């Protein structure tokens, strides 16, 4: 029997269905690493504006550049699988600790303004979700947020991607399979063009495009903090022959100096190997991640264990 991808109405968290909604989120975190939220509190009007301006910006500033890159690399006539690049056109916005929104060239004033507003809403949603996770895990309220803050607050940024039509979708991925390095990821995806898939029980499962939803997935740091109770999950984007897929993924990550390790309350002292994960500074993890992004996550954790044994972490300043 095929189990349906978890779609959760977040507004029900405030009413008599709170218990059932919390359970659905708990199950999704434990068994999927992904879930899709409706009625998440971000206005549909704001989302529509973000989508409209993102698509206009792609057409005006990014599309021709992408086509030139495809032609220069001869990608439309490839005969064998491409494994070292992705069929995507992207740019990155940084919001926290400092914004780069006004340094990105080619962004119109209205687009900058609306992306800033969208980021504020997403940050609120991310922090609300961290508190929901705390409650489900039996951790003290606010403790996940505290871990993420380090001394300078969290790192928060957005990857704006478009996946144009691809003539050879069997030979090149929109985005190769990977787990996300960070904390909690909030995705506003195209509701017409699909392509996002996650790996569950060795099967690739489609994440359904749903209008005005926000797709949530958990990154490697939450796997470490929960001592493996929640897992970051492999996902990928398939290129499509028709339509350009919009994807706006916002990453609410720990601060660069945040110290990440399994929450003591979630470590079973009786277990044979009570702690499965290393203790490390988030910035160090991000140094090894890019080279290992499209591989299994275990070597990344191993690299941190090696580092941990070389450098015993002293107290981290919190001022």
């Amino acid at each position: 029997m095929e189990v349906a991808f978890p779609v959760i109405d977040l507004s029900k968290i405030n009413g008599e269905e709170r218990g059932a909604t919390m359970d659905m989120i708990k199950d999704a975190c434990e068994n999927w690493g992904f879930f899709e939220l409706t009625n998440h509190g971000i206005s549909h009007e704001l989302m529509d504006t973000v989508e409209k301006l993102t698509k206009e910006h792609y057409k005006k500033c990014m599309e021709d550049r992408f086509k030139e890159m495809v032609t220069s690399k001869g990608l439309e006539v490839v005969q064998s699988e491409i494994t070292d690049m992705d069929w995507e056109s992207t740019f990155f916005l940084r919001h926290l600790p400092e914004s780069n929104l006004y340094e990105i060239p080619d962004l119109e004033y209205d687009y900058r303004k609306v992306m800033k507003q969208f980021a504020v809403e997403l940050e609120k949603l991310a922090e609300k979700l961290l508190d929901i996770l705390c409650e489900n895990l039996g951790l003290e309220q606010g403790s996940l947020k505290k871990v993420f803050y380090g001394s300078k607050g969290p790192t928060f940024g957005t990857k704006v991607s478009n996946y144009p039509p691809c003539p050879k979708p069997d030979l090149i991925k929109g985005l190769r399979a990977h787990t996300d390095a960070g904390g909690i990821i909030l995705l506003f995806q195209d509701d017409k063009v699909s392509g996002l898939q996650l790996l569950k029980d060795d099967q690739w499962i489609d994440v359904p495009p749903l209008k005005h939803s926000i797709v949530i997935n958990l990154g490697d740091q939450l796997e470490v903090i929960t001592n493996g109770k929640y897992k970051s999950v492999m996902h990928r984007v398939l290129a499509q022959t028709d339509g350009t897929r919009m994807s706006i993924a916002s990453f609410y990550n720990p601060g660069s100096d945040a110290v990440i390790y399994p929450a003591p309350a979630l470590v079973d002292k009786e277990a044979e190997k009570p702690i499965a994960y290393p203790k490390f500074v988030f910035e160090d993890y991000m140094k090894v991640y890019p080279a290992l992004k499209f591989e299994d996550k275990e070597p990344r954790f191993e690299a941190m264990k090696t580092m941990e044994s070389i450098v015993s972490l002293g107290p981290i300043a919190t001022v």
Side-chain angles (χ1 to χ4, degrees), residues 139-186:
L139 297 175
E140 199 177 309
Q141 202 61 342
S143 62
L144 285 174
K145 190 170 153 182
K146 194 174 164 192
V147 171
F148 275 45
Y149 261 58
S151 70
K152 299 191 275 284
T155 312
F156 186 46
T158 298
K159 177 186 176 190
V160 181
S161 309
N162 282 277
Y163 297 93
C166 177
K168 302 279 178 106
D170 51 330
L171 297 179
I172 186 165
K173 297 279 182 296
L175 180 57
R176 288 159 287 165
H178 64 288
T179 66
D180 290 325
I184 196 162
I185 298 87
L186 306 96

Side-chain angles (χ1 to χ4, degrees), residues 30 41 44 47 56 61 66 115 117 122 125 133 142 158 165 172 209 216-217 219 223 235 260 264 293 295 297:
E30 288 179 358
H44 290 180
M47 294 177 83
E56 281 174 8
C61 304
F66 184 79
M115 289 308 274
Q117 197 185 344
L122 287 166
L125 179 57
L133 298 195
T158 298
I172 186 165
I216 306 297
N217 72 287
E223 177 167 336
H235 52 284
I260 306 299
K293 175 175 177 176
E295 296 174 25
K297 59 195 160 190

Side-chain angles (χ1 to χ4, degrees), residues 10 37-52 114 117-125 188 211-214:
L10 195 60
L37 291 178
T38 60
N39 297 319
H40 37 65
I42 300 176
S43 105
H44 290 180
E45 190 184 4
L46 175 59
M47 294 177 83
D48 289 342
T49 308
V50 166
E51 180 170 357
K52 177 175 172 283
V114 84
Q117 197 185 344
F118 190 43
V120 168
E121 295 298 322
L122 287 166
E123 186 188 346
K124 278 192 258 181
L125 179 57
F188 173 25
K211 197 162 178 65
H212 297 138
S213 74
I214 298 282

Side-chain angles (χ1 to χ4, degrees), residues 36-267:
E36 197 156 3
L37 291 178
T38 60
N39 297 319
H40 37 65
I42 300 176
S43 105
H44 290 180
E45 190 184 4
L46 175 59
M47 294 177 83
D48 289 342
T49 308
V50 166
E51 180 170 357
K52 177 175 172 283
L53 296 182
T54 297
K55 288 180 173 176
E56 281 174 8
H57 175 263
Y58 172 72
K59 280 246 168 290
K60 189 175 165 190
C61 304
M62 312 275 292
E63 190 171 35
D64 288 345
R65 240 179 282 168
F66 184 79
K67 285 177 180 167
E68 282 163 21
M69 184 276 293
V70 166
T71 304
S72 71
K73 293 186 186 289
L75 292 177
E76 65 275 76
V77 292
V78 293
Q79 300 299 317
S80 55
E81 191 175 0
I82 303 276
T83 56
D84 61 352
M85 65 170 293
D86 303 304
W87 187 269
E88 62 171 1
S89 166
T90 63
F91 65 95
F92 292 87
L93 300 175
R94 215 174 42 244
H95 312 300
L96 295 173
E98 289 100 27
S99 170
N100 71 347
L101 201 54
Y102 292 92
E103 295 158 28
I104 306 272
D106 308 333
L107 296 189
E108 303 213 345
Y109 174 76
D110 284 353
Y111 190 30
R112 287 182 214 270
K113 201 168 101 177
V114 84
M115 289 308 274
K116 188 176 181 180
Q117 197 185 344
F118 190 43
V120 168
E121 295 298 322
L122 287 166
E123 186 188 346
K124 278 192 258 181
L125 179 57
E127 296 192 342
K128 179 178 182 170
L129 287 166
L130 285 182
D131 280 343
I132 288 171
L133 298 195
C134 277
E135 191 175 329
N136 271 338
L137 289 161
L139 297 175
E140 199 177 309
Q141 202 61 342
S143 62
L144 285 174
K145 190 170 153 182
K146 194 174 164 192
V147 171
F148 275 45
Y149 261 58
S151 70
K152 299 191 275 284
T155 312
F156 186 46
T158 298
K159 177 186 176 190
V160 181
S161 309
N162 282 277
Y163 297 93
C166 177
K168 302 279 178 106
D170 51 330
L171 297 179
I172 186 165
K173 297 279 182 296
L175 180 57
R176 288 159 287 165
H178 64 288
T179 66
D180 290 325
I184 196 162
I185 298 87
L186 306 96
L187 168 70
F188 173 25
Q189 67 166 348
D190 206 292
D191 64 324
K192 294 184 180 66
V193 184
S194 64
L196 177 62
Q197 296 184 320
L198 66 96
L199 191 62
K200 179 169 165 56
D201 306 324
D202 298 325
Q203 301 278 318
W204 286 105
I205 293 175
D206 293 320
V207 176
L210 209 57
K211 197 162 178 65
H212 297 138
S213 74
I214 298 282
V215 175
I216 306 297
N217 72 287
L218 308 181
D220 296 347
Q221 306 314 303
L222 282 172
E223 177 167 336
V224 174
I225 295 166
T226 65
N227 202 33
K229 199 173 169 66
Y230 295 170
K231 296 274 199 292
S232 60
V233 168
M234 284 291 243
H235 52 284
R236 67 183 185 183
V237 177
L238 296 183
Q240 308 284 351
T241 49
D242 299 317
T244 295
R245 175 179 177 266
M246 177 198 79
S247 158
I248 301 173
S250 297
F251 299 81
Y252 186 96
N253 291 347
S256 56
D257 69 353
V259 183
I260 306 299
Y261 57 95
L266 300 177
V267 176

